[in-house]
């Protein structure tokens, strides 16, 4: 059967096709529209395309949607904590646990407020923060350069690794009596004890971060003519930053936890001293007030370190 479709040159005068129309009258999305992949003002957004539906919204609904997502995420993340706090308040009042040894949360918060108003909490908190930050800062200054040196230079690693393996498996708490016998019971002992406990996670994570850099990155950098110093500066150190900060965050938690043990020996101020003193005098709500303060302090310290990590890791793609 012969083809009766008229050729382009034989079209009837009244026939109009999309390719005859001007650009502003052509049907959007029709075939042949290959000039741009960007959505113009007249193109329809595909809701299935990521980011297109949100970008199509006006600013006010877009902000409302972002706020809603943030609120849902915060509610989800805080559900377990809220349940714990509710159980802490309800179970002692119902007699499920002994309210003498585990007072309701509200009584502990009242005791915390009384300590704050009386100035006792501020005194103990300042003493603990000074010791913790001093030991933590010295650990960073000491452990990161040593870890980079051990991870980058094999002779140094071969020389120090046996010694590191010996001491890394020795508990810092077990060595507290040794620190006390050698350095006494003053501030030097407490800061040095925190320094020792914080140095290990930073040191070991720094070594691991240097040694686990992608070998292909190193080969590529060397093929481009980078010397050892530039290679370390441009490739090794940036790639090791996330692992180093993991150790720094662990050390931040240790700086508060191990300090409590140090403050329970020969201290007259500090959160550890407060907890031990209130426990021995059977002021249970005050003891829990000190524990709550330590928990909140550790949480804020961790959030601060997370913010610093993001600041130094902005080069990473997400």
């Amino acid at each position: 059967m012969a083809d009766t479709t008229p050729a382009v040159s034989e079209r009837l005068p009244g026939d109009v096709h999309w390719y005859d129309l001007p650009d502003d009258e052509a049907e959007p999305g029709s075939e042949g529209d290959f000039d741009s992949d960007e959505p113009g003002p007249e193109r329809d957004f595909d809701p299935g395309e990521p980011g297109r539906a949100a970008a199509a919204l006006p600013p006010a609904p877009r902000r409302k949607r972002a706020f809603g997502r943030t609120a849902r995420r915060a509610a989800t993340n805080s559900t377990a904590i809220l349940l714990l706090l509710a159980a802490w308040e309800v179970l002692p009042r119902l007699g499920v646990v002994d309210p003498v040894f585990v007072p309701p949360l509200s009584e502990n918060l009242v005791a915390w407020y009384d300590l704050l108003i009386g100035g006792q909490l501020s005194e103990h908190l300042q003493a603990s923060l000074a010791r913790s930050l001093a030991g933590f800062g010295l650990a960073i200054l000491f452990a990161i350069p040593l870890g980079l040196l051990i991870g980058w230079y094999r002779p140094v690693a071969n020389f120090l690794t046996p010694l590191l393996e010996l001491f890394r498996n020795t508990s810092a708490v077990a060595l507290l009596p040794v620190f006390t016998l050698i350095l006494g019971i003053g501030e030097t002992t407490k800061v040095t004890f925190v320094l020792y406990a914080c140095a290990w996670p930073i040191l070991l994570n720094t070594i691991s971060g240097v040694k686990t850099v992608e070998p292909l990155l190193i080969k590529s950098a060397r093929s481009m003519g980078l010397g050892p110093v530039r290679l370390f500066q441009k490739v090794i150190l940036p790639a090791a930053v996330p692992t180093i900060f993991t150790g720094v965050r662990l050390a931040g938690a240790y700086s508060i936890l191990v300090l409590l043990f140090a403050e329970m020996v020969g201290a007259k101020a500090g959160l550890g001293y407060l907890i031990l003193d209130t426990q021995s005098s059977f002021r249970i709500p005050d003891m829990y007030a000190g524990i709550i303060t330590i928990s909140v302090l550790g949480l804020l310290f961790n959030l601060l370190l997370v913010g610093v990590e993001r600041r130094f890791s902005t080069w990473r793609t997400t």
Side-chain angles (χ1 to χ4, degrees), residues 132 136 194 197-198 201-202 245-261 294-295 297-303 305:
S132 178
F136 177 68
V194 174
C198 293
I202 300 176
F245 265 100
T246 299
V248 171
R249 290 175 59 186
L250 290 174
Y254 290 173
S255 68
I256 298 174
L257 296 179
V258 300
L259 178 63
L260 301 181
F261 294 96
I294 292 173
S295 300
L297 179 62
L299 177 62
L300 294 177
F301 201 13
N302 182 70
L303 292 176
L305 293 176

Side-chain angles (χ1 to χ4, degrees), residues 11 77 241 270:
R11 286 181 298 162
N77 295 340
V241 163

Side-chain angles (χ1 to χ4, degrees), residues 255-278:
S255 68
I256 298 174
L257 296 179
V258 300
L259 178 63
L260 301 181
F261 294 96
E263 289 180 340
M264 291 179 180
V265 179
K268 295 185 178 180
L271 295 175
Y273 168 79
L274 172 65
I275 293 174
L276 183 63
D277 180 60
T278 52

